[in-house]
Every structure is written in C-alpha cells, then in structure tokens.
Amino acid sequence: MSIGLPDAPAGPPVPPAAAESEPPLVVVAPRSGLAVLDLRELWRYRELLAFLAWRDVKIRYKQTAFGLLWAVAQPLATMAVFALFLGKAAGVSAGIEHYPLYVLAGMTAWVFFSNVVLAAGNSVVANERLVTKVYFPRLLIPLSTVGVGLFDLAVASGLLAVMAAWYGVWPGWSVLLLPVAVLLLAVVAAGVGILLAALIVAQRDFRFVLTFGVQLWMFATPTVYMSPAALGPTTQAWLPLNPAYGLVAAFRAAALGGPIDWYSFGVSAAVAVGLAAVGLWYFRRVERSFADTI
C-alpha cells in the first residue's frame, strides 16, 4: 500500500524568459523636499557641466578676429570712459591714487559678474532643443556660464596685473581673499542668473528686464568707479545690501593690496548667499515645466 504525498503548493507563476531580460523601469521625477541643491546628482553629471562650459567658450571666440582680446576690451574701454569723463570732468577721481587702475580693477570684477548674470539668465531659452530632448539636471545649463565668465576673468586679470605693475602697485597678504571674493561673485551672479533663467522661460519679457536691470545695477554699485568715502556714512551703511558692492570692493582691495572693508564684505557675502538660495529654490520649483513651456 502506497501512501500518496500531498501535492506541493503551487508557487507564483514563472515569468517568461523574455520578461526577465527586460530592463527595470526607471521613472525620472523632480525631488521633493526643502533641499535646493542635489550635489550628488550634479557630481554625476560633472563631465556634462565641463563640456557645456567648454562649448560656450569655443562658441564665444570662434571665428573672431581678435580672439581673447575681447575679454579685456570691455573693462579696458569702460575704464577709459570713466577715467576721461567721470575722473577728469566730474571730479570723481579726487582722492583716489591711480584712478585708471582703480576703475580697471572694479570693472574687471563687475564685467565678470554682469556677464555671468546675463549669460545664465538667457541660457535655458538658448538651449531649448537640449532641454526638450534629453534628461539631465537643468541646473547645469546656467551653471556652465560661470565657466565662461571665469575664463574671461582670468584673461582680464592678466591685463590688471600688468597695469598694476606699471603703476608699481603690488598686492599684500590681502591677495589671499581674492579667490573668496571671486567665488562669492560667482555664487551671487549664478544665483541671480538662475532665478532670471526660470522667469524668462515662463515670460520672455524678463529678457528686457535682465538687460536693462544689469545696466542700472552697475550705477547702483558706485564702488566700481568712485571711492566709498565720497558717499557718506549713511549711504555706506546700507549700500552693502547690494551684494555686488561689497564683493567688487573686496576684489579690488585683494588684487591691489588696499584695505578691506570687512563690514561691506560680510553683509554683501550674506546677501549673496541668500540670493543664490532663492534662485536655486525657485529654479528647482519650476524646472519640471520647462520642457512644456519653453
């Protein structure tokens, strides 16, 4: 007599071999939460960031007769205009030793700042096809403009160094602050540009606000072309709320060995970080709709 064993319980159906070979489904979705910057994701795409920056550098100087000279033309020409009209005619240069060098140092920092703001603000719209066809962190597009600005700044700083040597001006220990000033200028310029890039995607009118606003911003940053001592104590107290004010002054002081206004530098640095955080937050909040609205 044989005893029958109970049938083994039926297991889950075995998927066909074809199904086993299918790749897993990956859903790309914006991250939620309060974080404004995903550093790990940006690090994974670092090669793309470098490619975009180098591409913009090559496009900027491709088929130009004067090449890198254009990187120094803007601060040099503006220095000449300010030295001739503001310095001589308006008397702004009173009390400033080596006024042309003073203005050139300020304009070198300002041109870097303004060019990054302008390029970053228009960057997403300018890369419409890239945005709508492939996924990557959209933040890379405006961030890549910082690389172009740093390239131009390096070239223009060479002219500044030559002119400083011509006047016999040499930086002291304050030159150690120069990378910090450049970094903070890049942070606030990228932050403002990122904010405007998101606004321009939604409403093209902001392109005109960007161009006109940057022009006005320079005149609202008088440390570029005049001594803060001529502004009075009350004005000097609130002007550092303009982040470019204290950072441009710090750049000049570090490059030329002048005294550093730590109050202006500290206030402007804090405002710069705050503006960058606002720009990043808003960009991340609306970037999911770029492909549909651009």
Side-chain angles (χ1 to χ4, degrees), residues 132-156:
T132 56
K133 291 185 180 298
V134 63
Y135 171 78
F136 62 94
R138 304 297 188 243
L139 194 59
L140 294 182
I141 296 177
L143 285 181
S144 67
T145 62
V146 177
V148 184
L150 289 173
F151 183 87
D152 289 347
L153 177 63
V155 177

Side-chain angles (χ1 to χ4, degrees), residues 80-274:
V81 172
F82 280 167
L84 180 61
F85 293 100
L86 286 180
K88 298 294 184 181
V92 174
S93 62
I96 301 178
E97 188 177 9
H98 310 314
Y99 182 71
L101 178 62
Y102 181 92
V103 174
L104 181 62
M107 284 306 305
T108 299
W110 172 258
V111 168
F112 165 68
F113 170 80
S114 61
N115 283 349
V116 172
V117 172
L118 289 169
N122 290 302
S123 60
V124 176
V125 172
N127 289 273
E128 175 182 354
R129 292 187 178 181
L130 192 60
V131 171
T132 56
K133 291 185 180 298
V134 63
Y135 171 78
F136 62 94
R138 304 297 188 243
L139 194 59
L140 294 182
I141 296 177
L143 285 181
S144 67
T145 62
V146 177
V148 184
L150 289 173
F151 183 87
D152 289 347
L153 177 63
V155 177
S157 295
L159 172 65
L160 177 61
V162 170
M163 191 167 180
W166 173 267
Y167 279 103
V169 175
W170 306 97
W173 287 105
S174 59
V175 74
L176 297 176
L177 185 66
L178 191 61
V180 180
V182 171
L183 174 63
L184 288 171
L185 279 169
V187 166
V188 66
V192 174
I194 286 167
L195 174 62
L196 288 167
L199 293 172
I200 288 173
V201 169
Q203 182 53 258
R204 298 297 195 271
D205 289 343
F206 280 101
R207 289 183 298 178
F208 303 101
V209 175
L210 171 61
T211 304
F212 183 59
V214 168
Q215 293 174 353
L216 291 180
W217 200 340
M218 186 188 73
F219 291 102
T221 311
T223 189
V224 172
Y225 51 86
M226 65 185 297
S227 172
L231 301 173
T234 303
T235 305
Q236 291 183 60
W238 59 261
L239 265 178
L241 294 175
N242 168 7
Y245 176 85
L247 299 181
V248 168
F251 177 92
R252 179 195 291 116
L256 303 182
I260 297 173
D261 184 348
W262 291 106
Y263 167 76
S264 295
F265 177 71
V267 173
S268 292
V271 175
V273 173

Side-chain angles (χ1 to χ4, degrees), residues 29-46:
R31 296 177 182 269
S32 59
L34 298 177
V36 296
L37 191 62
D38 188 343
L39 293 176
R40 287 189 298 178
E41 185 179 40
L42 293 179
W43 178 253
R44 287 198 301 269
Y45 285 88
R46 63 189 181 278

Side-chain angles (χ1 to χ4, degrees), residues 48-113:
L48 177 58
L49 177 62
F51 170 80
L52 291 173
W54 183 241
R55 179 204 64 174
D56 291 344
V57 170
K58 291 192 294 184
I59 291 175
R60 183 177 179 86
Y61 294 107
K62 185 179 180 180
Q63 295 180 339
T64 57
F66 296 100
L68 296 179
L69 291 178
W70 289 114
V72 301
Q74 187 176 357
L76 191 61
T78 310
M79 177 210 71
V81 172
F82 280 167
L84 180 61
F85 293 100
L86 286 180
K88 298 294 184 181
V92 174
S93 62
I96 301 178
E97 188 177 9
H98 310 314
Y99 182 71
L101 178 62
Y102 181 92
V103 174
L104 181 62
M107 284 306 305
T108 299
W110 172 258
V111 168
F112 165 68
F113 170 80

